[in-house]
Amino acid sequence: MRSGDTIVALSSGATPSGVAVIRLSGPDVSDILCQVAGSLPKPRQLVLRPIGQYSLLDRGLVAYFPAPHSFTGEDYAELQMHGSPAGVRAIIRLLISLGARLAEAGEFTRRAFENGKLDLVEIEGLGDLLEAETENQRQQALARFEGGLSQKIAVWRQQLLDLRAEIEARLDFSDEGDVADALPDSFTNSILDLQNDIGTVLASAEHGRIVREGIRVAMAGAPNAGKSSLLNALVRSDIAIVTDEAGTTRDVREVPLDINGQLYVLLDLAGLREADSKAEAEGVRRARLAIEQADIVLWLVAPDITDIDDELRPSADLCIGTKADLGKVAAVDLQVSTATGSGIDDLLSAIEAIGLRKSAGEPAMISRERDRLALMSAEEALVMAASQLSAPELAAESLRIASQALERLIGRIDAERVLDQLFASFCIGK
């Protein structure tokens, strides 16, 4: 990405559409607007203008946001016109001819970061918000984008600065008469309180992951126990191949399912048995790994299939008797039939009830592995600092490490690699 020039992109959906929105950001925005819209509009007001230079290309709404009071922190403008493919192309060509260049993926948001309008945590929240498919994902992403975690980190950083100033004053100015030799009695408690506060947020990591990535539901059991048929019935689509031949499924198939605003990821797995072929044996190995890592495990048994005595079965959350139209299975939690549809709604309700216990509560502050690792590093450094107060130099270094972990999380240091990966997933107009 190149800074210092003016960028342009279509930021609304693909044309044709009812309305198309073209964004501009950079030092030449005001000059370009004067040339294509006649004059510079009053800041932060939508005005109806003819759009063109030597000929009328369209007529639409124009808004101008002078720096630094804009999304990117630069001079910024939006043109809202009819969503004609030909019209949009003509206007973008005109803007490029006047000195703008096409933006790269995520470049508008990256400029907002570089100009201090958003920190890295808020940008990740924006990315999650753009990709949110369920209501829970939307709420959690919006809370992150609105700065819930950033505000918490700002408080922690200030507390760490106060603690570091307290201890480093004794290291740097120990010979000054107005600096006490001993740390105040509350110093240790302050470190422990900060550690506990970070630990409380860390405890919500699993909840945040479940909302962002979905609750993984593994369907396990012997071959031909009805796993693929049940997956098709739950998602109401013939996604998985169903035959009476054992070992049809040889890989982990993931299918998303939205149940009342919460994302569930259904896992159709290979049947568990001793396999002769290498391909099926690999499928069984992957199935076992998926079961161990799943949030919910459904163990399927059928009246026409001999169940298996497997070490993974006791970990199952529900035991489901499938093919109820062929006969009942004893000692199961639910009976279902994909042929008649009986029991499917009850099973969905049972899955949701388990999922609610795992995902209930306020939107989690942290939802990414990067969050968890940074906060764990800060927490561990605070534990070390509390145990090193008899050696102030070591305690001061541990507090510095805790500060660095928080700085890294919001992108104040070591941000370049994270930014490159993050913005690669953004759309061009964002």
Side-chain angles (χ1 to χ4, degrees):
M1 294 187 181
R2 307 186 301 276
S3 60
D5 48 7
T6 299
I7 55 175
V8 60
L10 175 67
S11 64
S12 54
T15 57
S17 59
V19 175
V21 179
I22 294 177
R23 280 178 157 180
L24 283 161
S25 182
D28 298 329
V29 165
S30 59
D31 291 339
I32 292 175
L33 274 188
C34 288
Q35 295 185 64
V36 302
S39 62
L40 200 62
K42 291 182 178 180
R44 292 171 291 280
Q45 291 187 13
L46 279 172
V47 295
L48 180 64
R49 292 286 175 84
I51 299 173
Q53 191 177 26
Y54 303 115
S55 62
L56 179 66
L57 299 179
D58 201 349
R59 191 178 298 275
L61 297 174
V62 179
Y64 171 60
F65 303 85
H69 305 295
S70 70
F71 173 70
T72 61
E74 303 174 324
D75 283 353
Y76 173 91
E78 288 189 0
L79 309 177
Q80 302 179 17
M81 71 286 300
H82 302 99
S84 156
V88 169
R89 284 196 301 269
I91 292 171
I92 289 180
R93 279 199 301 265
L94 173 59
L95 296 173
I96 291 174
S97 72
L98 295 174
R101 67 165 173 83
L102 285 176
E104 300 177 26
E107 191 167 4
F108 287 91
T109 309
R110 182 156 188 164
R111 291 190 176 196
F113 169 78
E114 291 172 346
N115 293 319
K117 291 296 184 177
L118 296 172
D119 64 33
L120 190 52
V121 169
E122 292 167 335
I123 290 172
E124 288 172 332
L126 175 58
D128 290 344
L129 184 61
L130 294 175
E131 296 177 358
E133 296 180 350
T134 68
E135 179 61 18
N136 287 359
Q137 288 177 330
R138 182 195 66 78
Q139 291 178 2
Q140 180 167 281
L142 186 60
R144 187 183 184 98
F145 176 51
E146 288 293 302
L149 179 57
S150 296
Q151 293 167 14
K152 196 73 173 175
I153 292 172
V155 173
W156 293 338
R157 289 175 60 224
Q158 185 59 53
Q159 291 173 341
L160 275 168
L161 284 174
D162 293 342
L163 291 170
R164 291 174 62 188
E166 191 76 45
I167 197 169
E168 288 174 10
R170 285 156 178 77
L171 295 174
D172 296 338
F173 307 105
S174 57
D175 56 343
E176 299 291 336
D178 57 348
V179 177
D181 293 333
L183 290 166
D185 295 336
S186 61
F187 194 84
T188 302
N189 288 336
S190 296
I191 293 178
L192 295 177
D193 289 343
L194 179 55
Q195 173 199 329
N196 290 335
D197 199 7
I198 293 176
T200 299
V201 174
L202 259 175
S204 68
E206 183 64 12
H207 176 202
R209 179 199 65 80
I210 280 176
V211 171
R212 182 172 181 268
E213 300 178 4
I215 298 175
R216 299 177 68 81
V217 182
M219 290 184 282
N224 274 356
K227 297 181 291 297
S228 297
S229 296
L230 183 57
L231 179 142
N232 289 344
L234 290 172
V235 300
R236 293 177 171 82
S237 178
D238 291 333
I239 291 177
I241 297 174
V242 178
T243 72
D244 57 4
E245 178 184 350
T248 302
T249 303
R250 295 192 174 186
D251 205 346
V252 178
R253 177 184 292 273
E254 300 186 0
V255 181
L257 178 64
D258 185 344
I259 303 179
N260 292 329
Q262 171 60 49
L263 176 64
Y264 292 78
V265 181
L266 305 183
L267 307 177
D268 184 21
L269 310 174
L272 303 181
R273 68 172 180 179
E274 293 294 328
D276 295 328
S277 75
K278 291 182 179 180
E280 186 179 354
E282 176 62 18
V284 172
R285 185 194 69 80
R286 295 185 184 187
R288 290 185 175 279
L289 181 62
I291 293 168
E292 292 171 357
Q293 296 176 344
D295 302 301
I296 300 175
V297 177
L298 308 180
W299 193 271
L300 276 56
V301 294
D304 61 337
I305 299 295
T306 302
D307 193 19
I308 56 173
D309 183 16
D310 192 277
E311 60 184 9
L312 293 175
R313 178 168 180 170
S315 65
D317 297 277
L318 291 173
C319 187
I320 310 299
T322 61
K323 308 180 186 179
D325 52 296
L326 300 182
K328 302 294 184 180
V329 181
V332 295
D333 298 301
L334 284 171
Q335 303 273 358
V336 301
S337 169
T338 59
T340 66
S342 67
I344 298 299
D345 289 340
D346 292 337
L347 177 55
L348 284 170
S349 298
I351 293 173
E352 182 183 14
I354 299 173
L356 284 174
R357 294 199 294 269
K358 297 177 178 291
S359 62
E362 295 296 319
M365 283 193 178
I366 65 175
S367 57
R368 293 171 175 255
E369 181 67 5
R370 197 178 71 84
D371 303 340
R372 189 183 68 82
L373 293 176
L375 294 188
M376 280 183 61
S377 177
E379 184 184 39
E380 291 168 359
L382 288 169
V383 171
M384 290 296 296
S387 66
Q388 295 169 333
L389 293 182
S390 59
E393 296 88 349
L394 297 178
E397 176 64 13
S398 293
L399 292 176
R400 185 187 65 81
I401 292 172
S403 292
Q404 283 187 332
L406 298 182
E407 297 282 342
R408 188 173 293 110
L409 181 55
I410 60 175
R412 293 295 178 87
I413 56 176
D414 297 343
E416 195 69 23
R417 180 175 55 83
V418 180
L419 286 171
D420 288 340
Q421 181 177 351
L422 175 64
F423 290 136
S425 65
F426 272 52
C427 58
I428 297 297
K430 200 63 185 175

